[in-house]
Amino acid sequence: MNFIPVNEPLLNGNEKNYLNECIDTGWISSEGPFIKKFEENMAKYVGRKYAAAVTNGTAALEMAIVALGIGKNDEVIMPSFTIISCGQAVVKAGAKPVLIDSEYDSFNMKVEDIEEKITLNTKAIMIVHIYGLPVDINPILELAKKYNLKIIEDAAEMHGQTYNSKMCGSFGDISIFSFYPNKHITTGEGGMVLMDDEKLYEKCKSLRNLCFSTDGNKRFIHEELGWNLRMTNIQAALGVAQLERINEFVAKKRWIGNMYQELLSDIKAINLPIKNKSFAENIYWVFAITLKDECKKSAKEIMEELGKKRVGTRPFFYPIHQQPVFNNMGLFIDNYLPNSEKLYEKGFYIPSGLAITEEQIKEVSKILHEVLV
Ligand SMILES: *Cc1c(COP(=O)(O)O)cnc(C)c1O
């Protein structure tokens, strides 16, 4: 069998039609009609008042932090076990991430550890849903209310997932999505911020477009610094076509996850992902596995063996508190977050892109048995 990649997107709906429309009409910049359509459709799907498309999920996080007025001397509580984007958004704004360890089995931050980290400088909590299950959000919303904190919700891996039947992406003062090709819906590169507050929305639209003056007479006169984070009509055309199929994509992700759960259940050396929490059913953004302690090989060795047998894998996140770039800035030097560290040592994920076939899933399972049993 050919190499089975860890991810391959599915682009066989209206993507080509809408892309042709961009070329035929000449609307290829950020001014085209698909942008508004994609924003409106996403806002409606997630249940938010406003959405603003941007260039990627990382940019969406950076913009969210600045739009919420978080800066020097402010602290933001967040998990260590996440992508660098979350940490760097806070550090680049001049604020300080305060890191929380994660649950070893759900990969999400330990909600019960948050309150003791709240200080007079805490301005926000960043909720990051990791790999397929949402964070337990209600206790965090209560803390935010009690201590008057903002919530940034990173739902980059959670399109279509719900928490107690309410859409992920609907919980933050600002929530963000990514549309990178390994996410449930993709625009190639892309991201979005969503919110219900009109002022925040206006602020984000200004920040994404160089803070151009809205006064036509002062077009090139700027009172503030922003970025150029505008998504193109071409990207949004992809997004509109992809979002049309979100229910089908979510169902396929769960079908892939449930297939693997059955096929791999007899491998004693590994922990399989949690199927359900009281508040959500796993959406399996990725099918994430950890090696049990009795398995004498590291995740790195297993991934190498799988690669030789033509199965693509990815390692888990490297914890924020161990990132050399932050340690070299003097950050997180004495942090000890054992679950986050162990997850990196023991974890990896296997092919589960939307284009995967039943035959490929069975092949991956067969090879995992060869390597691990
Ligand atoms: C993918 C991802 C991002 C970053 O999105 P990009 O579009 O790749 O910049 C941020 N947070 C999480 C949790 C992600 O999985």
Side-chain angles (χ1 to χ4, degrees):
M1 210 180 225
N2 288 331
F3 187 82
I4 304 174
V6 76
N7 176 68
E8 195 181 332
L10 209 50
L11 302 166
N12 53 359
N14 277 320
E15 287 81 357
K16 233 182 226 174
N17 295 339
Y18 297 165
L19 286 176
N20 278 335
E21 213 173 303
C22 295
I23 307 281
D24 292 343
T25 59
W27 283 114
I28 57 170
S29 77
S30 60
E31 294 284 314
F34 281 115
I35 300 282
K36 214 168 179 64
K37 201 163 177 191
F38 186 37
E39 289 173 341
E40 282 172 6
N41 292 357
M42 271 299 288
K44 193 166 163 215
Y45 176 67
V46 178
R48 304 293 318 233
K49 278 198 189 143
Y50 306 105
V54 293
T55 48
N56 55 66
T58 301
L61 284 168
E62 293 197 15
M63 198 166 99
I65 294 288
V66 172
L68 288 168
I70 294 165
K72 210 161 180 283
N73 298 327
D74 294 338
E75 294 174 2
V76 178
I77 297 174
M78 65 168 68
S80 182
F81 186 70
T82 182
I83 192 165
I84 191 85
S85 311
C86 303
Q88 80 171 38
V90 173
V91 171
K92 283 190 175 188
K96 188 179 157 210
V98 174
L99 302 175
I100 301 278
D101 206 5
S102 289
E103 296 171 347
Y104 194 70
D105 57 356
S106 77
F107 318 125
N108 281 320
M109 71 169 154
K110 292 169 86 173
V111 173
E112 69 275 16
D113 287 2
I114 294 176
E115 189 163 15
E116 67 189 31
K117 299 280 185 186
I118 295 173
T119 71
L120 290 172
N121 292 327
T122 308
K123 286 285 147 44
I125 300 171
M126 189 186 286
I127 294 173
V128 190
H129 310 296
I130 302 284
Y131 293 165
L133 285 166
V135 174
D136 189 4
I137 301 171
N138 277 345
I140 300 180
L141 295 181
E142 277 168 32
L143 287 177
K145 213 167 165 188
K146 184 169 163 192
Y147 294 97
N148 191 25
L149 306 174
K150 299 291 183 194
I151 300 282
I152 301 127
E153 182 190 14
D154 180 345
E157 306 175 355
M158 281 312 109
H159 322 62
Q161 177 60 293
T162 55
Y163 172 81
N164 286 333
S165 305
K166 199 164 170 274
M167 278 286 172
C168 290
S170 69
F171 293 96
D173 289 280
I174 299 185
S175 298
I176 75 103
F177 285 101
S178 161
F179 306 113
Y180 189 70
N182 65 355
K183 315 294 181 178
H184 298 159
I185 63 173
T186 183
T187 59
E189 298 284 351
M192 199 171 271
V193 288
L194 298 95
M195 67 291 282
D196 297 326
D197 183 274
E198 190 179 359
K199 279 212 183 90
L200 263 183
Y201 172 57
E202 293 301 335
K203 178 85 190 172
C204 284
K205 279 203 301 182
S206 175
L207 284 169
R208 101 174 146 182
N209 192 23
L210 295 169
C211 299
F212 273 112
S213 173
T214 46
D215 179 345
N217 293 322
K218 298 183 179 169
R219 175 73 182 155
F220 289 105
I221 302 171
H222 299 260
E223 306 278 348
E224 277 177 276
L225 296 179
W227 297 274
N228 175 356
L229 302 178
R230 304 184 301 256
M231 178 183 267
T232 68
N233 200 49
I234 296 172
Q235 293 167 304
L238 282 173
V240 171
Q242 289 265 296
L243 188 57
E244 288 172 355
R245 301 174 69 189
I246 183 74
N247 292 338
E248 177 196 335
F249 288 171
V250 166
K252 175 139 191 197
K253 277 288 182 184
R254 291 206 166 107
W255 173 80
I256 297 165
N258 290 328
M259 279 274 289
Y260 276 135
Q261 289 280 10
E262 264 182 44
L263 291 168
L264 305 178
S265 63
D266 60 330
I267 303 183
K268 293 201 173 62
I270 56 175
N271 299 303
L272 297 177
I274 295 176
K275 290 180 188 168
N276 295 295
K277 285 276 196 181
S278 61
F279 45 76
E281 183 192 344
N282 203 324
I283 202 169
Y284 301 109
W285 172 60
V286 294
F287 198 85
I289 289 170
T290 53
L291 298 170
K292 286 193 182 149
D293 288 342
E294 56 262 37
C295 179
K296 291 296 166 239
K297 288 175 185 161
S298 68
K300 191 160 170 273
E301 287 169 299
I302 299 290
M303 283 189 285
E304 271 168 22
E305 286 181 40
L306 290 170
K308 282 188 195 134
K309 291 178 180 273
R310 311 173 78 70
V311 171
T313 55
R314 285 286 180 283
F316 273 12
F317 292 126
Y318 191 65
I320 299 275
H321 72 279
Q322 293 188 308
Q323 293 288 354
V325 61
F326 292 138
N327 293 165
N328 291 340
M329 297 165 88
L331 289 167
F332 319 130
I333 302 288
D334 53 5
N335 280 203
Y336 173 59
L337 304 168
N339 286 352
S340 306
E341 294 174 21
K342 192 170 168 189
L343 282 170
Y344 174 75
E345 296 296 325
K346 299 281 185 184
F348 63 96
Y349 52 92
I350 58 179
S352 72
L354 284 161
I356 201 167
T357 63
E358 183 166 345
E359 193 194 3
Q360 286 176 316
I361 293 172
K362 286 183 173 154
E363 177 73 9
V364 171
S365 163
K366 195 185 106 204
I367 293 169
L368 273 170
H369 279 83
E370 286 171 18
V371 169
L372 284 162
V373 177

